[in-house]
Amino acid sequence: SLSEAVIACADALLVPTIPSTLSLRTLLRLSQSLVHTAPPLLPFLSMVDRRKALHRSLSHWADSHPQLFLREQIPYASSGEQMSVRRAPVPTYDASDPAAKAFASLGREVSAHLAQLAQTGAAPMATPAVYAKTLDELLSWGK
């Protein structure tokens, strides 16, 4: 019930999503569980490791579905793991790090979506029902 209260009070739900089948299934379940009056979803890919074929494939898929995922993708970086050791966000100790730059860009993108939502009242991205349908189709492929 705490999660439901937080969701009810939110203007939007920023959803970090690892480009993997399990994470996409989790996003699917979240979109299926949201009520009609839920705030808009703003999923983005995080911990993207372009050395992995699945990550490259799902990153490309997300790029081709801009109504479902924010444009900015956060790369997998050891600097992200260092945040807990350093007890500071990446930009404080390495503003030139690719992950720090990606987070800054993501922040600008989220701000633009929230400004659009405030101005028009329309969800900046797809509805939870569209997420559920599209992700279900993607995850059912090959069955």
Side-chain angles (χ1 to χ4, degrees), residues 7-77:
I7 289 171
C9 293
D11 292 325
L13 298 177
L14 193 57
V15 185
T17 307
I18 299 168
S20 68
T21 305
L22 183 58
S23 291
L24 288 176
R25 287 192 189 285
T26 302
L27 179 57
L28 171 62
R29 292 192 65 187
L30 172 64
S31 65
Q32 290 170 330
S33 70
L34 292 175
V35 295
H36 181 63
T37 58
L41 292 174
L42 297 176
F44 65 95
L45 293 182
S46 65
M47 297 179 67
V48 178
D49 186 345
R50 298 215 177 260
R51 296 172 298 178
K52 296 180 178 181
L54 180 61
H55 283 220
R56 285 191 311 272
S57 174
L58 291 176
S59 292
H60 178 71
W61 183 87
D63 284 341
S64 66
H65 291 81
Q67 76 282 12
L68 297 178
F69 283 88
L70 295 175
R71 181 185 48 77
E72 191 60 50
Q73 298 179 6
I74 308 301
Y76 179 82

Side-chain angles (χ1 to χ4, degrees), residues 71-103:
R71 181 185 48 77
E72 191 60 50
Q73 298 179 6
I74 308 301
Y76 179 82
S78 62
S79 58
E81 296 172 349
Q82 293 173 22
M83 287 190 299
S84 61
V85 174
R86 295 175 183 245
R87 296 182 184 204
V90 177
T92 354
Y93 57 87
D94 189 359
S96 66
D97 184 87
K101 290 178 180 178
F103 274 114

